[in-house]
Amino acid sequence: MKRLNMPTQPSEERIKNFEEVELGFEPEDAIKEARRCLQCTKPACVHGCPVKINIPKFIGHIAKGKFDKAAKVIKKTNNLPGVCGRVCPQEDQCEKICILTKKGSAISIGQLERFAADHQKIEDAPLINKINKEIAIIGSGPAGLTAAADLSIMGYQVTIYEGLQNAGGVLRYGIPEFRLPNKVINEEIEYIKKLGVKIKTNQVVGRIVSIEELQKQYNAIFLSPGAGLPHLMHIPGESLPNVYTANEFLTRINLMSAYKFPEYNTPIKKASKTIVIGGGNVAMDTARSAKRLGSDVTVIYRRSFEEMPARLEEVKHAQEEGIHFLLLTNLVRVLGETKVEAVECIQMMLGEEDGSGRRTPIIIENSEFNIDCDQVIIAIGSSPNPLATKNTPIDHNPQGYLFTNEELMTSREGVFAGGDIIGGTSGHGATVIQAMGDGKKAAKAIDTFLKQKKLSEFEDKKEEE
Ligand code: FAD
Ligand code: SF4
């Protein structure tokens, strides 16, 4: 039997709303898809999962119609199953090495994970015996939330400091509602709070309180502030009104519900022609959001489709929604007197492979041309915001990514780090599941560190006596 996929909202409908594009399996289809799983005794799929979910076991429960049991299996290692089922790049992880990939088509592991999460009964949190040790976590994205949940289950008293008004990190302010509804994030965060985790919002570490001060109050710190400082192009005209970074544009829409203006009081420009620069997931989310606000949208990318870092599925959805792609093209300047009126572009060609394994884009001289537009959104990447570590020296590379040892401890004793803030030094990609994998690893390392510290303090005391 062939792989089953979830139904989606038709493209002509979905471009008029911010509701979820993918509609989820009906129970009978989930059972049918789950029954395709071979229940391998040595399941390759599990090795592809950075948090090692027992994939055959949860799929086995779905095949028997025991949806709640399936969710419980996933939650043993993953506290954000509804999130991961929706946004993880399974095609590059568990599904890529599912045994059935070679025989036809991989099991829809991600879609089944999402199904189990959506059909679970919200359970009461387990009773946890708390110990007298406190941990502070900076940032409430997937890395921080995962470390918090694991540490809380171990008995630690955990407080998350979040700079924004709502918890969730990029899940909340970056990934749009039509891919990841806030309702799903809220439910999963509520469960983490039930585990005893305290979340303090509007607490910008580095401004309100320093890491040094936090170290005096807490036994250990986990730094997970992400890498949300947007890159700019540094081209003429970039500071004209109606030029946004993707970060600002998406935050207005997702965190501040600007797409519901005037019901919510954050306005957003309803442009008639938008240019989005970039070729990653962020560019796709930006383009598809601008489209839903009623704009005609063109994505400009300096390489070809082959080198595009965005998930294939996102590019496909964007194309179905009528977004135009102008490839092998770059931006030279933004034109306009008092606001954006057009962009000047230049054509590119591909040269030799660079360090990233992709072919380098090279300018084709005298190939400039203009495109009229009234909004430009820059989605060319981001790097760490140095605010959290301001005034607290911690070793980092020139872009601000923190160095850690194998156990994710930074150069400052008792301060651990993970997620996107170490993305540029650890070599791992910037994905939700990698951030969660770091959160789990850091939780274990903090536990070991505190137990060893207690032992050495005890031994020192004995020696003194
Ligand atoms: P973040 O999610 O960035 O969370 C960090 C949190 O720390 C934020 O809430 C921030 O406000 C807070 N913070 C920062 N500084 C401070 C401070 N000084 N004090 C207090 N709090 C602070 N990955 C996928 O796997 N699949 C996708 O489909 C996908 N789509 C994406 C779409 C967009 C638009 C973006 C931007 C990213 C996407 N990613 C995707 C990447 C993924 O979201 C990130 O890799 C992941 O969220 C990183 O998690 P994190 O916990 O390290 O940091
Ligand atoms: Fe099932 Fe594929 Fe995992 Fe085997 S590798 S257990 S078929 S999901």
Side-chain angles (χ1 to χ4, degrees):
M1 196 181 94
K2 269 195 158 173
R3 170 185 167 112
L4 291 177
N5 286 311
M6 300 177 278
T8 53
Q9 268 199 75
S11 50
E12 61 283 7
E13 285 300 320
R14 67 186 193 234
I15 56 168
K16 296 181 213 144
N17 65 60
F18 274 80
E19 281 151 35
E20 226 180 339
V21 168
E22 290 177 322
L23 301 172
F25 276 135
E26 289 299 327
E28 54 274 24
D29 284 341
I31 293 173
K32 263 190 215 162
E33 179 61 10
R35 285 188 179 158
R36 283 206 312 125
C37 172
L38 302 178
Q39 294 291 313
C40 308
T41 42
K42 286 186 186 160
C45 53
V46 178
H47 296 294
C49 172
V51 296
K52 303 282 172 278
I53 294 173
N54 190 335
I55 294 170
K57 193 166 178 187
F58 96 75
I59 292 182
H61 284 311
I62 296 181
K64 290 183 198 138
K66 294 179 179 163
F67 307 145
D68 201 40
K69 276 194 167 172
K72 280 199 178 113
V73 170
I74 303 172
K75 278 186 128 174
K76 277 198 175 149
T77 46
N78 181 339
N79 274 303
L80 302 170
V83 168
C84 288
R86 286 171 169 82
V87 304
C88 275
Q90 291 96 5
E91 68 280 8
D92 290 327
Q93 297 173 342
C94 50
E95 291 181 11
K96 191 175 181 180
I97 50 177
C98 163
I99 192 84
L100 288 177
T101 306
K102 287 185 205 140
K103 297 187 179 170
S105 50
I107 297 286
S108 302
I109 301 171
Q111 300 181 38
L112 290 174
E113 181 183 16
R114 168 194 164 141
F115 175 84
D118 291 354
H119 288 77
Q120 66 183 313
K121 288 192 207 94
I122 301 295
E123 43 183 311
D124 290 335
L127 275 178
I128 301 165
N129 284 332
K130 287 286 170 192
I131 46 180
N132 195 19
K133 291 254 180 290
E134 295 198 42
I135 318 287
I137 292 185
I138 295 146
S140 65
L145 289 171
T146 303
D150 282 16
L151 285 161
S152 193
I153 290 169
M154 289 175 199
Y156 293 100
Q157 299 179 40
V158 184
T159 305
I160 299 183
Y161 287 77
E162 168 54 54
L164 294 173
Q165 67 265 45
N166 272 313
V170 169
L171 308 177
R172 173 88 59 191
Y173 75 79
I175 304 179
E177 184 81 18
F178 56 83
R179 281 212 295 132
L180 177 59
N182 276 333
K183 183 176 169 286
V184 175
I185 307 169
N186 292 344
E187 280 172 6
E188 300 201 328
I189 292 180
E190 272 317 303
Y191 182 74
I192 292 171
K193 282 194 197 161
K194 279 193 197 167
L195 294 173
V197 173
K198 285 191 208 127
I199 304 183
K200 290 185 171 183
T201 51
N202 295 315
Q203 302 287 315
V204 180
V205 174
R207 191 159 281 159
I208 288 180
V209 61
S210 70
I211 293 175
E212 223 160 343
E213 285 162 337
L214 288 176
Q215 272 197 291
K216 290 183 191 142
Q217 296 171 47
Y218 293 89
N219 299 91
I221 311 273
F222 179 56
L223 263 172
S224 51
L229 191 68
H231 292 167
L232 295 173
M233 296 201 69
H234 304 291
I235 54 171
E238 202 171 20
S239 54
L240 277 170
N242 303 339
V243 180
Y244 295 92
T245 61
N247 186 304
E248 182 189 347
F249 184 75
L250 289 172
T251 303
R252 275 172 182 261
I253 295 177
N254 301 330
L255 186 72
M256 303 191 230
S257 302
Y259 67 98
K260 293 182 189 157
F261 181 80
E263 188 190 329
Y264 284 75
N265 62 8
T266 301
I268 190 118
K269 177 161 174 64
K270 300 255 161 108
S272 57
K273 207 160 178 217
T274 300
I275 298 289
V276 175
I277 326 292
N281 285 325
V282 181
M284 296 310 120
D285 283 341
T286 306
R288 296 176 69 197
S289 298
K291 183 80 188 178
R292 280 159 175 74
L293 291 171
S295 184
D296 179 72
V297 184
T298 302
V299 172
I300 292 187
Y301 179 55
R302 59 194 184 137
R303 292 179 163 106
S304 71
F305 271 129
E306 220 166 283
E307 291 81 21
M308 224 178 222
R311 283 179 80 181
L312 215 62
E313 187 186 72
E314 298 309 319
V315 178
K316 186 179 142 251
H317 278 152
Q319 284 173 320
E320 285 168 3
E321 290 167 10
I323 286 156
H324 316 290
F325 285 82
L326 195 56
L327 305 174
L328 291 169
T329 304
N330 207 353
L331 222 62
V332 179
R333 72 187 84 234
V334 183
L335 304 165
E337 286 292 314
T338 54
K339 56 183 172 29
V340 176
E341 287 166 20
V343 285
E344 183 183 317
C345 304
I346 192 156
Q347 285 176 8
M348 315 289 287
M349 60 183 183
L350 293 178
E352 297 296 313
E353 272 188 12
D354 63 12
S356 72
R358 291 178 304 171
R359 292 175 64 194
T360 317
I362 301 167
I363 284 173
I364 301 177
E365 297 297 340
N366 304 318
S367 63
E368 290 88 347
F369 62 99
N370 291 358
I371 308 174
D372 290 343
C373 61
D374 57 350
Q375 176 169 258
V376 175
I377 310 174
I378 301 162
I380 56 165
S382 58
S383 49
N385 187 328
L387 202 56
T389 49
K390 199 176 155 198
N391 306 326
T392 310
I394 296 183
D395 288 354
H396 56 81
N397 79 0
Q399 290 83 41
Y401 291 99
L402 303 183
F403 288 116
T404 62
N405 65 12
E406 268 297 297
E407 277 69 49
L408 299 185
M409 179 139 54
T410 64
S411 56
R412 205 174 166 87
E413 201 191 350
V415 178
F416 295 75
D420 281 4
I421 187 71
I422 66 162
T425 51
S426 64
H428 71 44
T431 61
V432 169
I433 198 73
Q434 289 291 357
M436 291 177 68
D438 283 354
K440 292 193 99 57
K441 194 171 168 187
K444 274 195 198 136
I446 290 173
D447 182 46
T448 309
F449 167 75
L450 291 177
K451 282 180 177 153
Q452 279 168 357
K453 203 171 165 205
K454 195 174 165 195
L455 192 69
S456 66
E457 278 167 6
F458 175 73
E459 282 166 355
D460 287 352
K461 212 172 156 199
K462 271 193 102 186
E463 242 172 56
E464 275 170 28
E465 281 167 8

